[in-house]
Amino acid sequence: MSWQVYVEEHLMCEIEGNYLSSAAIIGHDSTVWAQSSSFPPFKPEEISAIMRDFDEPGTLAPTGLYLGGTKYMVIQGEPGAVIRGKKEV
């Protein structure tokens, strides 16, 4: 299975009546492996900040997670493995 198929069929699928609005799999070197059509264009410094949070968990929480210039509140994740964000209202 390709990463693109994984994004389209597993990440963007319905779960208990909920859907993600966008999803992507991005490599440590900021290379996009796969993304949904709605995933926003990002800036290299945004990906650098995310990578720093994987190395030093908690660095994004005070300032927020930014993708495509949009701020997301950092919510539950798995330190060093998963960062989850929710768009601030």
Side-chain angles (χ1 to χ4, degrees), residues 47-85:
I47 300 305
S48 294
I50 292 168
M51 296 312 300
R52 187 171 44 257
D53 195 78
F54 280 119
D55 292 334
E56 302 170 38
T59 58
L60 284 175
T63 60
L65 164 67
Y66 286 85
L67 281 172
T70 301
K71 184 177 181 179
Y72 297 83
M73 177 176 50
V74 177
I75 58 173
Q76 158 198 12
E78 299 167 30
V82 175
I83 300 168
R84 292 184 181 95

Side-chain angles (χ1 to χ4, degrees), residues 11-53:
L11 296 181
M12 298 302 293
C13 68
E14 180 268 333
I15 298 175
E16 298 179 9
N18 297 302
Y19 294 87
L20 292 176
S21 58
S22 62
I25 299 174
I26 301 170
H28 287 235
D29 61 356
S30 300
T31 302
V32 177
W33 293 2
Q35 66 183 12
S36 63
S37 60
S38 57
F39 194 79
F42 58 84
K43 301 173 186 161
E45 60 268 20
E46 294 170 336
I47 300 305
S48 294
I50 292 168
M51 296 312 300
R52 187 171 44 257
D53 195 78

